[in-house]
């Protein structure tokens, strides 16, 4: 986490981040003379871990590139979305970004700590052992709230990010993981159970048991409520906001 925060500070400090690799994992067209060495590391950084690509893979549909390991969690859900553009994609059409791997082996960039020029393919291992980088990370400013407050943080806010399986009690499942878990492990369970997603919502009834919980999950929870719902406004305000949005789109 500290490494990612430190890397994020460096990237955001750059005047302009170069474009991400194009479709097929092919880097965008470079200016005459090739890319500037001081922007190379940012150009070939995974948007998830913010480090130089490791075993890069590319989503065929949108062309976005990630570390193979970083993209793995997205491949474990029934309907994966690109972490960058949120476009649905077919897990079978995630390909090894061979062009990016070749670029990583051929380009050199200065280490952000000691300034020694290192091939991008070896940058991760170099940075992990560079004393200058470790010193910079140790001096990285700690996170503090933008507006300090003496007010206590409410403890009664329901958890709407992860849920408990109502059948077996498995914990820390996000909405898509809950659907997958129940389909794989409880497909033939006849018990009526309370939907943990619905019961966490402001309108949810924590005592209502679904007669067919799996069908309820598949039809009611194909999307995340966080995408469409503002939990900080009441039902009337939400209705007015939805009407205003509908009129503006038409």
């Amino acid at each position: 986490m500290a490494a990612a925060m430190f890397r994020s500070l460096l990237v955001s400090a750059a005047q302009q981040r170069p474009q991400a690799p194009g479709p097929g994992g092919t880097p965008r067209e470079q200016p005459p003379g090739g890319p500037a060495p001081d922007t190379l590391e940012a150009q070939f950084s995974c948007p998830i871990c913010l480090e130089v690509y490791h075993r890069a893979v590319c989503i065929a549909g949108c062309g976005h590139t990630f570390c193979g390991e970083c993209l793995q969690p997205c491949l474990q859900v029934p309907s994966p979305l690109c972490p960058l553009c949120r476009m649905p994609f077919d897990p079978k059409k995630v390909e090894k970004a061979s062009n990016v791997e070749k670029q990583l082996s051929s380009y050199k960039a200065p280490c952000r700590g000691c300034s020694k020029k290192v091939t991008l393919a070896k940058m991760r291992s170099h940075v992990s052992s560079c004393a200058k980088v470790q010193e910079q990370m140790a001096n990285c400013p700690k996170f503090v709230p933008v507006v300090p407050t003496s007010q206590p943080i409410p403890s009664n806010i329901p958890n709407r990010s992860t849920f408990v399986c109502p059948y077996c009690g498995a914990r820390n499942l996000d909405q898509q993981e809950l659907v997958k878990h129940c389909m794989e492990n409880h497909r033939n369970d006849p018990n009526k159970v309370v939907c943990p997603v619905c019961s966490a919502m402001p309108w949810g009834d924590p005592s209502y048991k679904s007669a067919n919980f799996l069908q309820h999950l598949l039809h009611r929870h194909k999307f995340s409520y966080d995408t469409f719902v503002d939990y900080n406004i009441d039902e009337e305000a939400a209705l007015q906001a939805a009407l205003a949005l509908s009129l503006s789109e038409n």
Side-chain angles (χ1 to χ4, degrees):
M1 177 62 76
M5 289 179 63
F6 174 65
R7 184 78 186 92
S8 179
L9 288 171
L10 289 176
V11 172
S12 63
Q15 290 183 348
Q16 182 178 2
R17 181 184 175 106
Q19 289 181 303
T26 305
R28 304 284 183 184
E29 182 179 351
Q30 301 293 348
D38 58 347
T39 65
L40 270 172
E41 189 177 351
Q43 179 178 348
F44 288 92
S45 291
C46 170
I48 295 178
C49 67
L50 303 179
E51 294 290 344
V52 173
Y53 292 120
H54 178 62
R55 297 178 181 174
V57 295
C58 176
I59 298 175
C62 61
H64 289 128
T65 305
F66 306 90
C67 298
E69 185 176 348
C70 292
L71 190 62
Q72 273 302 310
C74 296
L75 305 179
Q76 307 305 315
V77 298
S79 303
L81 303 175
C82 171
L84 204 56
C85 66
R86 310 302 292 169
M87 179 183 292
F89 68 91
D90 184 347
K92 296 179 181 178
K93 294 184 179 180
V94 174
E95 307 163 348
K96 182 178 179 181
S98 301
N99 290 330
V100 172
E101 292 293 334
K102 290 178 182 177
Q103 300 276 9
L104 294 177
S105 298
S106 60
Y107 282 146
K108 286 188 176 183
C111 167
R112 56 183 181 264
C114 65
S115 299
K116 176 182 177 181
K117 284 199 171 183
V118 183
T119 58
L120 292 176
K122 297 181 179 179
M123 184 63 76
R124 280 190 177 228
S125 59
H126 172 81
V127 166
S128 65
S129 60
C130 176
K132 287 280 189 179
V133 172
Q134 301 307 315
E135 180 182 345
Q136 291 172 351
M137 290 175 57
N139 295 327
C140 184
K142 299 293 187 290
F143 171 79
V144 293
V146 176
V147 181
T149 176
S150 59
Q151 297 297 319
I153 298 175
S155 59
N156 60 343
I157 298 177
N159 176 11
R160 299 188 179 108
S161 300
T162 59
F163 307 97
V164 176
C165 172
Y167 290 115
C168 67
R171 306 178 67 84
N172 298 321
L173 301 170
D174 65 24
Q175 191 164 303
Q176 290 182 321
E177 289 170 344
L178 177 65
V179 174
K180 181 182 179 183
H181 169 82
C182 289
M183 289 299 294
E184 291 180 351
N185 299 283
H186 307 293
R187 182 184 293 270
N188 299 317
D189 195 319
N191 292 320
K192 296 182 179 181
V193 293
V194 175
C195 174
V197 182
C198 290
S199 63
M201 301 301 154
W203 57 84
D205 181 354
S207 63
Y208 178 77
K209 293 185 177 182
S210 301
N212 191 329
F213 178 60
L214 291 181
Q215 287 300 314
H216 169 84
L217 277 181
L218 293 173
H219 292 290
R220 186 73 180 270
H221 299 304
K222 285 186 176 180
F223 64 90
S224 173
Y225 281 116
D226 291 343
T227 307
F228 303 98
V229 178
D230 184 348
Y231 300 114
N232 296 316
I233 60 177
D234 58 27
E235 187 175 357
E236 179 63 27
L239 177 60
Q240 293 300 323
L243 289 172
L245 179 60
S246 176
L247 291 173
S248 68
E249 290 179 346
N250 295 325

